[in-house]
Amino acid sequence: MKSIALSSLSLLPCALAQTLYLAGDSTMATGSGNIDGWGDYIASSLSIPVANHAIGGRSARSFTREGRFQEIADLLQAGDFVVIEFGHNDGGSLSTDNGRTDCPGTGDETCETVYDGVAETVLTFPKYLENAAALFLEKGAHVLISSQTPNNPWETGEFVYSPSRFVEYARLAAEVAGVEYVDHGAYTASILESLGLEAVTAFFPNDHTHTSPEGAQVVADAFLKSIVCGGVGLADVLSTTDFDGESLQL
């Protein structure tokens, strides 16, 4: 009987083996204590498992240098999904290189630096995302580039959302790479605006970037709302489409 069962399983559609892989920074990563990223909070709304490879303190550059995109690629099977979301740690100046700052520009520009005693050619933010997308596409994965989440837009006491340059850079990277794009930042900001100062302030207990578990759930639902409204491929593996918020005209 066992051999018959295994034989039958081998004939099941590949879709049953699909996995969603997440690549990002601390705003997506598994947290601890009163801080958590949004990545672990989407699993209950999906019909496929989620493998959260996000890690705190990383940029598109450092994620690349440390081989973390390659680690995901090595696990991928055709039909899997990958979400890439960076931006919070990609700014700064190479004159005081912290190992995370990208080269200024939106294309093939490069910068030379020495980080941790090792010479390094630094690429632009869009190029790092484009290279990662190409790596995943080669494995037959469905790739989605997502804009970074906003810092607390109620921090001043009034609602202010000013997308960083990395939001537009992410959109550009998705366009050049030929993959799907969602503006997670805009959808998160829209939900946070509707919830108001008091509720949102409680979502950021330590600083203006990292959310509480309750805030992480809201940010996760905003991501899923952007998936539904954008009609991107990941919507096909959602177990529900009932998320708060409005569809944005972006």
Short mmCIF file of all heavy atoms in Angstrom, two decimals, residues 14-79:
data_model
loop_
_atom_site.label_atom_id
_atom_site.label_comp_id
_atom_site.label_asym_id
_atom_site.label_seq_id
_atom_site.Cartn_x
_atom_site.Cartn_y
_atom_site.Cartn_z
N CYS A 14 2.08 20.03 -9.47
CA CYS A 14 3.22 20.70 -8.84
C CYS A 14 2.78 21.82 -7.92
O CYS A 14 3.50 22.20 -7.00
CB CYS A 14 4.16 21.25 -9.92
SG CYS A 14 4.98 19.95 -10.87
N ALA A 15 1.59 22.37 -8.17
CA ALA A 15 1.12 23.51 -7.38
C ALA A 15 1.05 23.17 -5.90
O ALA A 15 1.18 24.03 -5.04
CB ALA A 15 -0.25 23.96 -7.88
N LEU A 16 0.85 21.86 -5.58
CA LEU A 16 0.77 21.48 -4.18
C LEU A 16 2.08 21.69 -3.46
O LEU A 16 2.13 21.76 -2.24
CB LEU A 16 0.34 20.03 -4.07
CG LEU A 16 -1.09 19.71 -4.54
CD1 LEU A 16 -1.39 18.24 -4.34
CD2 LEU A 16 -2.11 20.57 -3.82
N ALA A 17 3.17 21.77 -4.18
CA ALA A 17 4.48 21.95 -3.58
C ALA A 17 4.90 23.41 -3.54
O ALA A 17 6.00 23.72 -3.12
CB ALA A 17 5.52 21.13 -4.35
N GLN A 18 4.03 24.33 -3.99
CA GLN A 18 4.39 25.73 -4.03
C GLN A 18 4.69 26.28 -2.64
O GLN A 18 4.05 25.91 -1.65
CB GLN A 18 3.25 26.56 -4.64
CG GLN A 18 3.13 26.46 -6.15
CD GLN A 18 1.97 27.29 -6.65
OE1 GLN A 18 0.87 27.23 -6.10
NE2 GLN A 18 2.20 28.06 -7.69
N THR A 19 5.64 27.18 -2.60
CA THR A 19 6.01 27.89 -1.38
C THR A 19 6.20 29.36 -1.71
O THR A 19 6.64 29.70 -2.80
CB THR A 19 7.32 27.32 -0.80
OG1 THR A 19 7.14 25.94 -0.47
CG2 THR A 19 7.76 28.07 0.45
N LEU A 20 5.86 30.22 -0.78
CA LEU A 20 6.14 31.65 -0.90
C LEU A 20 7.36 31.97 -0.07
O LEU A 20 7.39 31.75 1.14
CB LEU A 20 4.95 32.48 -0.41
CG LEU A 20 5.21 33.98 -0.23
CD1 LEU A 20 5.61 34.64 -1.55
CD2 LEU A 20 4.00 34.67 0.38
N TYR A 21 8.41 32.48 -0.72
CA TYR A 21 9.64 32.90 -0.04
C TYR A 21 9.65 34.42 0.10
O TYR A 21 9.28 35.14 -0.83
CB TYR A 21 10.87 32.44 -0.83
CG TYR A 21 11.06 30.94 -0.82
CD1 TYR A 21 10.46 30.14 -1.79
CD2 TYR A 21 11.83 30.32 0.16
CE1 TYR A 21 10.62 28.75 -1.77
CE2 TYR A 21 12.00 28.95 0.18
CZ TYR A 21 11.39 28.17 -0.79
OH TYR A 21 11.56 26.81 -0.77
N LEU A 22 10.09 34.88 1.26
CA LEU A 22 10.15 36.31 1.54
C LEU A 22 11.60 36.75 1.72
O LEU A 22 12.35 36.12 2.48
CB LEU A 22 9.36 36.65 2.80
CG LEU A 22 7.88 36.27 2.82
CD1 LEU A 22 7.26 36.64 4.17
CD2 LEU A 22 7.13 36.95 1.68
N ALA A 23 11.97 37.83 1.05
CA ALA A 23 13.31 38.41 1.17
C ALA A 23 13.16 39.86 1.58
O ALA A 23 12.56 40.65 0.84
CB ALA A 23 14.07 38.29 -0.16
N GLY A 24 13.69 40.22 2.74
CA GLY A 24 13.54 41.58 3.20
C GLY A 24 14.33 41.87 4.45
O GLY A 24 15.24 41.12 4.83
N ASP A 25 13.97 42.97 5.13
CA ASP A 25 14.69 43.42 6.32
C ASP A 25 13.84 43.19 7.56
O ASP A 25 12.90 42.39 7.55
CB ASP A 25 15.09 44.89 6.15
CG ASP A 25 13.90 45.80 5.85
OD1 ASP A 25 12.79 45.53 6.37
OD2 ASP A 25 14.07 46.77 5.09
N SER A 26 14.16 43.89 8.64
CA SER A 26 13.49 43.65 9.93
C SER A 26 12.01 43.96 9.90
O SER A 26 11.25 43.42 10.71
CB SER A 26 14.17 44.47 11.03
OG SER A 26 14.11 45.85 10.74
N THR A 27 11.56 44.84 9.02
CA THR A 27 10.14 45.16 8.96
C THR A 27 9.33 44.00 8.42
O THR A 27 8.11 43.97 8.57
CB THR A 27 9.89 46.40 8.08
OG1 THR A 27 10.37 46.17 6.75
CG2 THR A 27 10.60 47.62 8.66
N MET A 28 10.01 43.01 7.82
CA MET A 28 9.38 41.79 7.31
C MET A 28 9.75 40.57 8.15
O MET A 28 9.01 39.59 8.21
CB MET A 28 9.81 41.56 5.85
CG MET A 28 9.27 40.32 5.20
SD MET A 28 10.13 39.94 3.63
CE MET A 28 9.26 40.99 2.49
N ALA A 29 10.87 40.64 8.83
CA ALA A 29 11.45 39.46 9.49
C ALA A 29 10.70 39.06 10.76
O ALA A 29 10.00 39.87 11.38
CB ALA A 29 12.91 39.74 9.84
N THR A 30 10.89 37.81 11.16
CA THR A 30 10.39 37.34 12.45
C THR A 30 11.04 38.14 13.57
O THR A 30 12.26 38.28 13.61
CB THR A 30 10.73 35.85 12.63
OG1 THR A 30 10.13 35.10 11.56
CG2 THR A 30 10.22 35.33 13.96
N GLY A 31 10.25 38.66 14.46
CA GLY A 31 10.77 39.52 15.51
C GLY A 31 10.88 38.81 16.84
O GLY A 31 10.88 37.59 16.92
N SER A 32 10.93 39.62 17.89
CA SER A 32 10.98 39.09 19.25
C SER A 32 10.43 40.14 20.20
O SER A 32 10.49 41.33 19.92
CB SER A 32 12.41 38.71 19.65
OG SER A 32 13.25 39.85 19.64
N GLY A 33 9.92 39.68 21.33
CA GLY A 33 9.39 40.60 22.32
C GLY A 33 8.20 41.38 21.79
O GLY A 33 7.26 40.81 21.23
N ASN A 34 8.28 42.72 21.93
CA ASN A 34 7.14 43.54 21.52
C ASN A 34 7.28 44.06 20.09
O ASN A 34 6.53 44.95 19.68
CB ASN A 34 6.98 44.72 22.48
CG ASN A 34 8.15 45.70 22.42
OD1 ASN A 34 9.23 45.36 21.93
ND2 ASN A 34 7.95 46.91 22.94
N ILE A 35 8.23 43.51 19.33
CA ILE A 35 8.47 43.95 17.95
C ILE A 35 8.36 42.74 17.02
O ILE A 35 8.87 41.66 17.32
CB ILE A 35 9.86 44.59 17.81
CG1 ILE A 35 9.93 45.89 18.60
CG2 ILE A 35 10.19 44.85 16.34
CD1 ILE A 35 8.95 46.97 18.15
N ASP A 36 7.70 42.94 15.89
CA ASP A 36 7.60 41.86 14.92
C ASP A 36 7.45 42.44 13.52
O ASP A 36 6.89 43.53 13.34
CB ASP A 36 6.38 40.97 15.22
CG ASP A 36 6.64 39.50 14.93
OD1 ASP A 36 7.66 39.19 14.28
OD2 ASP A 36 5.83 38.66 15.36
N GLY A 37 7.99 41.72 12.54
CA GLY A 37 7.82 42.08 11.15
C GLY A 37 6.54 41.46 10.60
O GLY A 37 5.97 40.55 11.19
N TRP A 38 6.12 41.92 9.43
CA TRP A 38 4.83 41.51 8.90
C TRP A 38 4.85 40.16 8.19
O TRP A 38 3.81 39.54 7.97
CB TRP A 38 4.30 42.56 7.93
CG TRP A 38 5.13 42.79 6.69
CD1 TRP A 38 6.13 43.69 6.52
CD2 TRP A 38 5.01 42.08 5.44
NE1 TRP A 38 6.65 43.60 5.24
CE2 TRP A 38 5.98 42.62 4.56
CE3 TRP A 38 4.18 41.07 4.98
CZ2 TRP A 38 6.15 42.18 3.25
CZ3 TRP A 38 4.33 40.61 3.67
CH2 TRP A 38 5.31 41.17 2.82
N GLY A 39 6.04 39.63 7.87
CA GLY A 39 6.13 38.46 7.01
C GLY A 39 5.44 37.22 7.54
O GLY A 39 4.88 36.43 6.77
N ASP A 40 5.46 37.01 8.86
CA ASP A 40 4.86 35.81 9.43
C ASP A 40 3.35 35.91 9.56
O ASP A 40 2.69 34.92 9.90
CB ASP A 40 5.45 35.53 10.81
CG ASP A 40 6.91 35.14 10.75
OD1 ASP A 40 7.38 34.72 9.68
OD2 ASP A 40 7.60 35.25 11.79
N TYR A 41 2.79 37.08 9.27
CA TYR A 41 1.36 37.30 9.50
C TYR A 41 0.50 37.13 8.25
O TYR A 41 -0.71 37.34 8.31
CB TYR A 41 1.15 38.69 10.10
CG TYR A 41 1.67 38.79 11.51
CD1 TYR A 41 3.03 38.95 11.76
CD2 TYR A 41 0.82 38.69 12.61
CE1 TYR A 41 3.53 39.02 13.05
CE2 TYR A 41 1.30 38.76 13.90
CZ TYR A 41 2.67 38.92 14.12
OH TYR A 41 3.15 38.99 15.39
N ILE A 42 1.11 36.74 7.16
CA ILE A 42 0.31 36.51 5.95
C ILE A 42 -0.02 35.03 5.75
O ILE A 42 -0.89 34.69 4.95
CB ILE A 42 1.02 37.05 4.68
CG1 ILE A 42 2.37 36.36 4.46
CG2 ILE A 42 1.19 38.56 4.78
CD1 ILE A 42 3.02 36.76 3.15
N ALA A 43 0.66 34.15 6.49
CA ALA A 43 0.51 32.72 6.27
C ALA A 43 -0.93 32.24 6.43
O ALA A 43 -1.39 31.37 5.67
CB ALA A 43 1.43 31.94 7.21
N SER A 44 -1.66 32.79 7.39
CA SER A 44 -3.03 32.33 7.65
C SER A 44 -3.98 32.69 6.52
O SER A 44 -5.10 32.15 6.47
CB SER A 44 -3.54 32.91 8.97
OG SER A 44 -3.58 34.33 8.91
N SER A 45 -3.57 33.57 5.63
CA SER A 45 -4.43 33.99 4.53
C SER A 45 -4.01 33.37 3.19
O SER A 45 -4.54 33.73 2.15
CB SER A 45 -4.42 35.52 4.39
OG SER A 45 -4.92 36.13 5.56
N LEU A 46 -3.05 32.44 3.24
CA LEU A 46 -2.56 31.81 2.03
C LEU A 46 -2.83 30.31 2.05
O LEU A 46 -2.91 29.70 3.12
CB LEU A 46 -1.05 32.04 1.88
CG LEU A 46 -0.57 33.47 1.69
CD1 LEU A 46 0.96 33.51 1.69
CD2 LEU A 46 -1.09 34.06 0.40
N SER A 47 -2.94 29.73 0.88
CA SER A 47 -3.15 28.29 0.77
C SER A 47 -1.84 27.54 0.57
O SER A 47 -1.85 26.32 0.40
CB SER A 47 -4.09 27.99 -0.40
OG SER A 47 -3.54 28.46 -1.62
N ILE A 48 -0.71 28.25 0.61
CA ILE A 48 0.61 27.64 0.48
C ILE A 48 1.48 28.08 1.65
O ILE A 48 1.22 29.10 2.27
CB ILE A 48 1.30 28.01 -0.86
CG1 ILE A 48 1.52 29.53 -0.94
CG2 ILE A 48 0.49 27.51 -2.04
CD1 ILE A 48 2.32 29.96 -2.17
N PRO A 49 2.52 27.31 1.98
CA PRO A 49 3.38 27.69 3.10
C PRO A 49 4.25 28.91 2.79
O PRO A 49 4.54 29.19 1.62
CB PRO A 49 4.25 26.44 3.33
CG PRO A 49 4.22 25.72 2.03
CD PRO A 49 2.88 25.99 1.42
N VAL A 50 4.65 29.60 3.85
CA VAL A 50 5.49 30.79 3.74
C VAL A 50 6.84 30.49 4.38
O VAL A 50 6.90 30.01 5.51
CB VAL A 50 4.84 32.00 4.43
CG1 VAL A 50 5.78 33.21 4.38
CG2 VAL A 50 3.50 32.33 3.79
N ALA A 51 7.92 30.79 3.66
CA ALA A 51 9.28 30.65 4.19
C ALA A 51 9.87 32.05 4.30
O ALA A 51 10.25 32.67 3.30
CB ALA A 51 10.14 29.77 3.27
N ASN A 52 9.93 32.56 5.52
CA ASN A 52 10.35 33.94 5.75
C ASN A 52 11.87 34.00 5.92
O ASN A 52 12.40 33.64 6.96
CB ASN A 52 9.65 34.50 6.99
CG ASN A 52 9.85 36.00 7.14
OD1 ASN A 52 10.62 36.61 6.41
ND2 ASN A 52 9.14 36.58 8.09
N HIS A 53 12.56 34.46 4.88
CA HIS A 53 14.01 34.57 4.90
C HIS A 53 14.47 36.01 5.18
O HIS A 53 15.67 36.30 5.07
CB HIS A 53 14.60 34.10 3.58
CG HIS A 53 14.59 32.60 3.41
ND1 HIS A 53 15.72 31.84 3.42
CD2 HIS A 53 13.56 31.74 3.24
CE1 HIS A 53 15.40 30.56 3.26
NE2 HIS A 53 14.08 30.48 3.15
N ALA A 54 13.55 36.89 5.52
CA ALA A 54 13.92 38.25 5.86
C ALA A 54 14.78 38.26 7.12
O ALA A 54 14.60 37.43 8.01
CB ALA A 54 12.68 39.11 6.07
N ILE A 55 15.68 39.23 7.19
CA ILE A 55 16.56 39.33 8.36
C ILE A 55 16.84 40.80 8.66
O ILE A 55 16.99 41.62 7.74
CB ILE A 55 17.87 38.54 8.14
CG1 ILE A 55 18.72 38.53 9.41
CG2 ILE A 55 18.65 39.07 6.95
CD1 ILE A 55 19.85 37.52 9.38
N GLY A 56 16.87 41.13 9.93
CA GLY A 56 17.03 42.52 10.33
C GLY A 56 18.34 43.13 9.89
O GLY A 56 19.36 42.45 9.77
N GLY A 57 18.30 44.44 9.64
CA GLY A 57 19.51 45.19 9.35
C GLY A 57 20.05 45.04 7.95
O GLY A 57 21.14 45.53 7.66
N ARG A 58 19.31 44.39 7.08
CA ARG A 58 19.84 44.14 5.73
C ARG A 58 19.26 45.12 4.71
O ARG A 58 18.15 45.60 4.84
CB ARG A 58 19.54 42.71 5.28
CG ARG A 58 20.61 41.69 5.62
CD ARG A 58 21.07 41.77 7.03
NE ARG A 58 22.05 40.75 7.37
CZ ARG A 58 22.38 40.47 8.61
NH1 ARG A 58 21.81 41.11 9.62
NH2 ARG A 58 23.31 39.56 8.86
N SER A 59 20.07 45.35 3.70
CA SER A 59 19.68 46.12 2.53
C SER A 59 19.72 45.20 1.33
O SER A 59 20.16 44.04 1.43
CB SER A 59 20.64 47.30 2.31
OG SER A 59 21.94 46.81 1.96
N ALA A 60 19.31 45.70 0.18
CA ALA A 60 19.42 44.90 -1.04
C ALA A 60 20.87 44.53 -1.30
O ALA A 60 21.18 43.42 -1.75
CB ALA A 60 18.84 45.68 -2.22
N ARG A 61 21.78 45.45 -0.98
CA ARG A 61 23.21 45.20 -1.18
C ARG A 61 23.73 44.13 -0.23
O ARG A 61 24.38 43.16 -0.66
CB ARG A 61 23.98 46.50 -1.00
CG ARG A 61 25.50 46.31 -0.98
CD ARG A 61 26.20 47.59 -0.58
NE ARG A 61 27.60 47.37 -0.24
CZ ARG A 61 28.35 48.25 0.43
NH1 ARG A 61 27.82 49.40 0.84
NH2 ARG A 61 29.61 47.97 0.71
N SER A 62 23.49 44.28 1.06
CA SER A 62 24.07 43.32 2.02
C SER A 62 23.40 41.96 1.88
O SER A 62 24.05 40.92 2.08
CB SER A 62 23.95 43.85 3.45
OG SER A 62 22.61 44.05 3.84
N PHE A 63 22.12 41.92 1.53
CA PHE A 63 21.45 40.65 1.30
C PHE A 63 22.11 39.91 0.13
O PHE A 63 22.27 38.69 0.16
CB PHE A 63 19.97 40.90 0.98
CG PHE A 63 19.02 39.82 1.45
CD1 PHE A 63 18.57 39.77 2.75
CD2 PHE A 63 18.56 38.86 0.55
CE1 PHE A 63 17.68 38.79 3.18
CE2 PHE A 63 17.68 37.86 0.97
CZ PHE A 63 17.24 37.83 2.28
N THR A 64 22.54 40.70 -0.86
CA THR A 64 23.24 40.12 -2.01
C THR A 64 24.63 39.64 -1.61
O THR A 64 25.02 38.50 -1.90
CB THR A 64 23.37 41.15 -3.14
OG1 THR A 64 22.06 41.58 -3.55
CG2 THR A 64 24.12 40.58 -4.33
N ARG A 65 25.40 40.51 -0.96
CA ARG A 65 26.78 40.18 -0.60
C ARG A 65 26.85 38.95 0.30
O ARG A 65 27.78 38.14 0.19
CB ARG A 65 27.45 41.37 0.08
CG ARG A 65 28.96 41.16 0.34
CD ARG A 65 29.60 42.32 1.08
NE ARG A 65 29.01 42.54 2.37
CZ ARG A 65 28.24 43.59 2.68
NH1 ARG A 65 27.97 44.51 1.77
NH2 ARG A 65 27.74 43.73 3.89
N GLU A 66 25.91 38.80 1.18
CA GLU A 66 25.91 37.68 2.12
C GLU A 66 25.37 36.39 1.50
O GLU A 66 25.31 35.36 2.18
CB GLU A 66 25.08 38.05 3.35
CG GLU A 66 25.70 39.18 4.16
CD GLU A 66 24.79 39.68 5.27
OE1 GLU A 66 23.68 39.11 5.44
OE2 GLU A 66 25.17 40.64 5.97
N GLY A 67 24.97 36.45 0.24
CA GLY A 67 24.50 35.26 -0.45
C GLY A 67 23.10 34.83 -0.09
O GLY A 67 22.70 33.69 -0.35
N ARG A 68 22.32 35.74 0.47
CA ARG A 68 20.99 35.37 0.94
C ARG A 68 19.99 35.21 -0.20
O ARG A 68 19.08 34.36 -0.13
CB ARG A 68 20.50 36.37 1.98
CG ARG A 68 21.39 36.39 3.22
CD ARG A 68 20.88 37.32 4.30
NE ARG A 68 21.83 37.37 5.41
CZ ARG A 68 21.87 36.48 6.40
NH1 ARG A 68 21.01 35.47 6.41
NH2 ARG A 68 22.76 36.60 7.37
N PHE A 69 20.11 36.01 -1.26
CA PHE A 69 19.27 35.78 -2.44
C PHE A 69 19.61 34.41 -3.05
O PHE A 69 18.72 33.67 -3.47
CB PHE A 69 19.48 36.87 -3.48
CG PHE A 69 18.84 38.19 -3.14
CD1 PHE A 69 19.60 39.36 -3.12
CD2 PHE A 69 17.49 38.28 -2.85
CE1 PHE A 69 19.01 40.58 -2.82
CE2 PHE A 69 16.89 39.50 -2.54
CZ PHE A 69 17.66 40.65 -2.52
N GLN A 70 20.90 34.09 -3.10
CA GLN A 70 21.31 32.81 -3.67
C GLN A 70 20.78 31.65 -2.83
O GLN A 70 20.38 30.61 -3.38
CB GLN A 70 22.83 32.75 -3.76
CG GLN A 70 23.36 31.49 -4.45
CD GLN A 70 22.90 31.39 -5.89
OE1 GLN A 70 23.15 32.28 -6.69
NE2 GLN A 70 22.22 30.29 -6.23
N GLU A 71 20.75 31.81 -1.50
CA GLU A 71 20.22 30.76 -0.64
C GLU A 71 18.77 30.45 -0.98
O GLU A 71 18.35 29.28 -1.00
CB GLU A 71 20.34 31.17 0.83
CG GLU A 71 21.76 31.15 1.37
CD GLU A 71 21.83 31.66 2.80
OE1 GLU A 71 20.76 32.00 3.37
OE2 GLU A 71 22.94 31.74 3.35
N ILE A 72 17.99 31.50 -1.23
CA ILE A 72 16.60 31.30 -1.62
C ILE A 72 16.53 30.62 -2.98
O ILE A 72 15.76 29.67 -3.19
CB ILE A 72 15.84 32.64 -1.64
CG1 ILE A 72 15.74 33.22 -0.22
CG2 ILE A 72 14.44 32.47 -2.25
CD1 ILE A 72 15.15 34.61 -0.16
N ALA A 73 17.33 31.09 -3.93
CA ALA A 73 17.33 30.51 -5.27
C ALA A 73 17.65 29.02 -5.23
O ALA A 73 17.09 28.22 -5.99
CB ALA A 73 18.33 31.24 -6.16
N ASP A 74 18.55 28.64 -4.33
CA ASP A 74 18.94 27.23 -4.22
C ASP A 74 17.79 26.35 -3.72
O ASP A 74 17.81 25.13 -3.93
CB ASP A 74 20.14 27.08 -3.29
CG ASP A 74 21.42 27.66 -3.87
OD1 ASP A 74 21.47 27.87 -5.09
OD2 ASP A 74 22.36 27.92 -3.09
N LEU A 75 16.82 26.96 -3.07
CA LEU A 75 15.68 26.21 -2.54
C LEU A 75 14.48 26.19 -3.49
O LEU A 75 13.59 25.35 -3.34
CB LEU A 75 15.23 26.82 -1.20
CG LEU A 75 16.23 26.77 -0.06
CD1 LEU A 75 15.74 27.62 1.11
CD2 LEU A 75 16.46 25.33 0.40
N LEU A 76 14.47 27.10 -4.43
CA LEU A 76 13.30 27.30 -5.27
C LEU A 76 13.01 26.11 -6.17
O LEU A 76 13.91 25.46 -6.69
CB LEU A 76 13.48 28.54 -6.15
CG LEU A 76 13.34 29.90 -5.49
CD1 LEU A 76 13.64 31.01 -6.50
CD2 LEU A 76 11.95 30.08 -4.91
N GLN A 77 11.71 25.89 -6.35
CA GLN A 77 11.22 24.99 -7.38
C GLN A 77 10.33 25.80 -8.32
O GLN A 77 9.75 26.82 -7.93
CB GLN A 77 10.43 23.84 -6.76
CG GLN A 77 11.24 22.94 -5.84
CD GLN A 77 10.43 21.76 -5.34
OE1 GLN A 77 9.59 21.23 -6.04
NE2 GLN A 77 10.73 21.34 -4.12
N ALA A 78 10.24 25.36 -9.55
CA ALA A 78 9.41 26.05 -10.52
C ALA A 78 7.99 26.18 -9.97
O ALA A 78 7.42 25.22 -9.45
CB ALA A 78 9.40 25.30 -11.84
N GLY A 79 7.43 27.38 -10.08
CA GLY A 79 6.08 27.62 -9.58
C GLY A 79 6.03 28.25 -8.21
O GLY A 79 4.97 28.71 -7.78
#
